[in-house]
Amino acid sequence: MPTSLTAKEGQLAYIYLCSPRSTLMFKLFDLSTFTRQTRNLPPHTYRAFTNSFATTMRVPYAPKEAPTEEARAVYERIAARRNPRPLIPLDLALLHNPSVADGWSSFIGAIRTKTSVPDTWKELAISRVAALNGAVHEWDVHAALAVKAGVSRDAMSVVLETTFIGRGKERQQNAGALDKLSTEERGVLEYTDQMTIGVHVEDGVAEALKQFLDDKQIVELTATVAAYNCVSRFLVALDVGECNGRGMKKVEDL
């Protein structure tokens, strides 16, 4: 298996398919047909393949104790937010730059604890981001929180297994896949999908949120989806927590 592509092979890439049941397959795709060939796959089943699975994060973790007096206050603030848990791998990845880690913790802390969007919809949105982006750790944590908040396992199966809902006619054609969701859950999922894949949100999808969220909550939901796209991309790119090589937790195990 090649570790790099020649110019002639520039249209080829290795893609690995990792199913929720941890079945691993490899296939060589022509990039020009990648979208067509993966359109009907569950969203979490494909990620760009490098040439091996990392057994450790792609950079070393920062020290668990503050290396300097200047960093100590940042470590203490993040530890206070995590209390009673210790610092997690995400913290120890970010703490290579304490200023970045500090700002990140403050931002995500506000998203998690200082917004008024009900936890059911917030955790459903975060879980959907995780499924679309193949962020295993994010899914395992937030899908369980969604169920705890009251989202049904049937709904979480839709969140995990349904392909990108699409835009325009494609979204209308795929609407049947969301039959197990409430009107509110459907609205949150469609908004999350369009923000995460392709960024542009259709007017009708945005307007649908106004049926059950006020202006402040729409801003909060948008910030939540944006924030956890940031989190998932960081987790997957660096393989924080060494999760990339395993499948998502099954819905029945949440």
Side-chain angles (χ1 to χ4, degrees):
M1 185 176 293
T3 58
S4 62
L5 300 178
T6 66
K8 187 176 181 179
E9 296 168 327
Q11 288 296 306
L12 299 176
Y14 280 98
I15 305 298
Y16 78 75
L17 308 178
C18 183
S19 81
R21 299 186 182 279
S22 300
T23 301
L24 193 63
M25 301 177 290
F26 294 93
K27 188 169 183 178
L28 190 63
F29 282 97
D30 185 314
L31 287 181
S32 65
T33 59
F34 171 69
T35 300
R36 175 176 56 80
Q37 294 197 42
T38 59
R39 181 175 298 278
N40 294 321
L41 292 172
H44 57 283
T45 58
Y46 52 89
R47 303 189 202 111
F49 175 64
T50 55
N51 63 342
S52 64
F53 290 119
T55 56
T56 60
M57 188 177 68
R58 286 174 169 159
V59 297
Y61 291 103
K64 293 182 179 180
E65 302 293 335
T68 66
E69 283 302 315
E70 184 180 12
R72 187 174 305 281
V74 174
Y75 271 72
E76 289 175 351
R77 279 193 290 272
I78 296 174
R81 186 169 81 85
R82 295 294 183 195
N83 187 53
R85 296 179 298 161
L87 297 178
I88 64 173
L90 176 58
D91 301 323
L92 296 174
L94 289 163
L95 279 163
H96 278 286
N97 185 318
S99 294
V100 171
D102 202 17
W104 184 296
S105 180
S106 178
F107 176 43
I108 298 300
I111 294 291
R112 296 285 298 122
T113 64
K114 297 181 180 179
T115 55
S116 60
V117 175
D119 285 348
T120 48
W121 303 335
K122 181 164 60 179
E123 296 298 342
L124 184 148
I126 296 170
S127 299
R128 182 59 172 172
V129 169
L132 289 170
N133 290 340
V136 175
H137 176 72
E138 190 172 88
W139 165 264
D140 288 355
V141 171
H142 289 279
L145 290 173
V147 171
K148 183 178 179 180
V151 182
S152 72
R153 283 183 167 78
D154 282 347
M156 292 308 294
S157 292
V158 173
V159 171
L160 180 62
E161 298 293 344
T162 304
T163 58
F164 169 55
I165 200 63
R167 292 178 174 81
K169 290 183 179 179
E170 183 182 14
R171 179 171 67 86
Q172 295 171 6
Q173 291 168 354
N174 290 336
L178 308 184
D179 284 346
K180 293 181 180 179
L181 302 184
S182 68
T183 299
E184 294 82 3
E185 290 169 341
R186 177 190 293 260
V188 169
L189 185 141
E190 290 185 340
Y191 191 73
T192 301
D193 271 33
Q194 292 195 353
M195 275 192 67
T196 301
I197 307 295
V199 184
H200 172 71
V201 177
E202 294 173 315
D203 289 342
V205 172
E207 285 295 316
L209 295 181
K210 296 180 180 180
Q211 302 302 311
F212 57 94
L213 296 176
D214 61 28
D215 290 347
K216 176 187 175 185
Q217 290 173 321
I218 291 173
V219 169
E220 291 171 348
L221 178 64
T222 304
T224 298
V225 174
Y228 277 89
N229 265 288
C230 176
V231 173
S232 63
R233 283 164 167 77
F234 188 88
L235 290 170
V236 174
L238 290 180
D239 198 6
V240 178
E242 297 79 39
C243 293
N244 286 358
R246 64 177 178 83
M248 304 283 193
K249 185 177 289 186
K250 300 174 187 177
V251 170
E252 57 265 33
D253 294 334
L254 295 173

